[in-house]
Structures are given as structure tokens and as C-alpha cells.
Amino acid sequence: MKGPFSGSPNHSKITMISLSLVMILIMTFVSCAKEQESQPYRIAVFVPGIVSGSPIYEMLVAGAQQAADEHEQAVVQVIEGGSNQGLWEESISTLAASQEHDLIVTSNPAMPAIAAAVSAKFPEQRFAIMDGALEGNEAIYTLRYDQQQQAMLAGHLAGLITASSMSGANDQLKIGLIAGQEYPDMTDLILPGFTAGAQTAHASVTVEFRVVGNWYDAAKGSELARAMIADGVDVILPIAGGANQGVLTAAADAGTYVLWYDTNGYALQKGTVAGSTAIRQDKATYETVVKAIEGTLPFGSAETVGLERGYITFIEDDELYLELVPQEIRDQQHAFIESMMQ
Ligand code: RBF
């Protein structure tokens, strides 16, 4: 009698087929797993503007690139959004719709709202936004710098210099701020911080504020600076991207001073750049992207960093600062920096 498990030719055929099926299944599973393992983590850096001339964007790209270079499994594509801000949302929507990037990294205070609008249409897309703030959207992580603190550091030195007997300082207590455009961080944090810092140094300092209207027009930057200088301003803080170059030229021609923002600018115009406040956007972007690759970035949260953790610094040890700015002023500025840390 042949039992159900005896070796009938039919039965061994069925066993062979089942075994082959199992093997095929296993092989498919293994190759899928391998494919997943070798799937790179794909990062798009969307620069809302032009990289060249804007240190905040140069550092964004450098930080993301470094994170990808150190992770075999990550690749970066940089997309320059250009100066037409009306096109940014559409460009980011196209990126998200392509589903080709695990993460879109970008930077400036206008980007959280744009990313939120895109996120409503493409909820799977993840974003890391530097120099911006938005809490509670599970697809978006943001990190901002304490811009008021940074502006106060610049303002304090501007107040000391305009009241000093340095060769380029006149008798009036007037300083200036030239911005690329007017935006809430500028009007609510940077301008008030710059003014408060200056008035901490000297209560009667006044601040002139002008807007270029874009982030690239050096000729307009120069024109605004010349008008300010003619009006008695002897220290200018330009925050205008590529237009900063025009401010530098105007101040150098007039023998007055410029303070640099976001990066070390002393060597850009020796004898003119009298102070530099820097942000570590390269470091912050690197750390953010590494966390995203490793799956530990807290999407949905908004972080603010500043002097205390070293993401904002006033560069005091540069030779050119030591040469140009008298010891007495440097000492006062140093004491102010220390007081801000407390
Ligand atoms: N800063 C730049 O240096 N270059 C830029 O092209 C630039 N574009 C900006 C566009 C928008 C819409 C906004 C709101 C800000 C922009 N900023 C730019 C300012 C930047 O976010 C930051 O406040 C300054 O760089 C000072 O850290």
C-alpha cells in the first residue's frame, strides 16, 4: 500500500517543484534585500537664490556635500533655484513629485512656508530647512540661528567704532544696515538686534536702514552705501548676498568701515572690514544631514542655536582685526561677547 508520503514519482515531482519555488522565493528576497541595502540615500540641496556671493548658501552646500562624502550610501544633487522667488515653490514641487530624493535640504526663513505648501501635496517628501523655523509638521525639520544675538554682536562693535577716533570714523554717531530685502527676521530680529547692540555701546547711536531689493545687485549696494556715507554713516553692515561687494567698494573708496556677516570677511577688503560675525551653517548642515541619513533627525521639531553652542561667533583672533581695531575697542567688544554668553 502506498501511503501519502511514500516516494511515488508524482510526489517527488511535487516536492521538487515546491523546493524550486522556495529557492526562487529565497533568491528574490535576498536580491531585494541587497538592492535595498545598496539603494543610496538621495539628497537634493535646493539653493533659494545663487550660491556664489552668499556664504550662507556656500556653507549649506559644503555641509551637505561633506555629509554625503563621508557616507558611502549617500548622494547629493545641488539645484540652484535662482533669484526669481516666485518660481521656488514650483521647482520644489517638481523635485518632490519626482520622488527621486529622500531629503530636500534648503535654507532661509521663507522656505518653511514653501516646504509646508509642497508637503501638503507630497506628504512622503522629507525636508531639512536651515536658517528657518517651523514646528509641528512631521515632514519638516528646521534649524535657525539666533539672528538677534548675531546682530547685537555686530551692532556693539559698530557703536564702538562710530564713536571712536579711528581714522575712518567721523564725529557723527551714525551707522547703517543694508539688507537684500525686507523679511520678518530682518525687521524683527536683525535690525532691532543691531540697533540694541550699538546703543549698548553708545546710547545716542542712530541706525540708517536701506534695502537693495534683491540679493545680487552690487551696483545698487554701492549706490546705497555711497548715499549713506555722504549722510555721515561710517560703519555699515551689509546683509545683501552678492550686493555686499558694492558696499565694500563704496566704503573702501570713502575710507569708512564695513562689518561682515555670516563668515570671516576681514581679508575681502583689508583696512575696511573691521569685524566679522560668523555662523557655523556648514557644521549645522553637516550634522543635520548625517542625522537624516542615519534616521535620527527629529522631523517635526524646530531648533534654535547661537553663541552658547558655538554656532554663532565673533571672530576676534584674525590678524587683520588685531591690526585694524585698537586694543581698547577690542577689549570692550570682548567683554560684551562674554556678557552675551551668560
Ligand atoms: N542671504 C544671503 O546671503 N543671500 C541670499 O541670496 C539670500 N536670500 C534670501 C531670500 C529670502 C526670501 C530670505 C527671507 C532671506 C534671504 N537671505 C539671503 C537672508 C538669509 O536668510 C540670512 O538672514 C542672512 O544671510 C543673514 O544670516
Side-chain angles (χ1 to χ4, degrees), residues 48-50 54 56-57 85 88 108-110 131 147 150 181 183 190 215 239 241 261-262 279:
I50 301 159
S54 291
I56 198 159
Y57 292 157
Q85 301 182 3
W88 294 348
N108 88 34
D131 181 30
Q147 294 266 3
Q150 186 187 359
Q181 69 184 105
Y183 51 104
I190 299 178
W215 298 90
I239 304 181
Y261 213 67
D262 291 346
I279 52 169

Side-chain angles (χ1 to χ4, degrees), residues 84-259:
N84 186 345
Q85 301 182 3
L87 299 178
W88 294 348
E89 183 175 330
E90 199 184 315
S91 304
I92 294 185
S93 285
T94 307
L95 273 179
S98 76
Q99 297 184 355
E100 279 172 12
H101 304 284
D102 299 292
L103 183 72
I104 296 176
V105 186
T106 186
S107 166
N108 88 34
M111 299 320 285
I114 291 177
V118 174
S119 173
K121 291 183 282 175
F122 304 101
E124 295 304 312
Q125 182 65 60
R126 295 287 171 269
F127 296 89
I129 303 174
M130 316 304 291
D131 181 30
L134 178 74
E135 202 155 17
N137 183 320
E138 294 306 319
I140 303 174
Y141 166 84
T142 62
L143 180 146
R144 79 192 316 192
Y145 309 95
D146 186 336
Q147 294 266 3
Q148 187 156 13
Q149 207 177 40
Q150 186 187 359
M152 278 185 81
L153 293 173
H156 189 261
L157 182 65
L160 292 175
I161 292 177
T162 192
S164 75
S165 54
M166 282 173 70
S167 63
N170 57 32
D171 291 343
Q172 301 181 54
L173 296 179
K174 281 187 186 171
I175 61 173
L177 172 53
I178 297 179
Q181 69 184 105
E182 248 177 317
Y183 51 104
D185 275 20
M186 178 54 69
T187 46
D188 303 344
L189 300 171
I190 299 178
L191 180 58
F194 187 59
T195 308
Q199 291 177 347
T200 305
H202 277 274
S204 43
V205 173
T206 57
V207 182
E208 281 198 19
F209 178 64
R210 297 284 181 278
V211 177
V212 175
N214 61 59
W215 298 90
Y216 56 83
D217 191 348
K220 183 79 189 286
S222 179
E223 186 189 314
L224 292 175
R226 285 181 208 283
M228 269 189 180
I229 293 166
D231 204 30
V233 168
D234 47 16
V235 188
I236 301 176
L237 171 67
I239 304 181
N244 291 354
Q245 194 53 48
V247 178
L248 266 189
T249 313
D253 288 352
T256 58
Y257 303 108
V258 164
L259 302 181

Side-chain angles (χ1 to χ4, degrees), residues 321-337:
Y321 175 65
L322 300 175
E323 275 170 29
L324 181 64
V325 179
Q327 173 96 50
E328 191 195 346
I329 294 181
R330 282 188 277 118
D331 287 347
Q332 284 174 273
Q333 179 69 359
H334 184 74
F336 183 69
I337 298 165

Side-chain angles (χ1 to χ4, degrees), residues 254-304:
T256 58
Y257 303 108
V258 164
L259 302 181
W260 210 248
Y261 213 67
D262 291 346
T263 190
N264 184 337
Y266 294 108
L268 294 174
Q269 192 76 54
K270 290 180 195 170
T272 300
V273 179
S276 289
T277 53
I279 52 169
R280 293 303 311 276
Q281 159 110 324
D282 45 355
K283 179 173 184 260
T285 306
Y286 166 78
E287 290 165 351
T288 299
V289 173
V290 166
K291 282 185 202 155
I293 296 170
E294 291 173 351
T296 58
L297 191 68
F299 289 100
S301 69
E303 213 174 329
T304 302

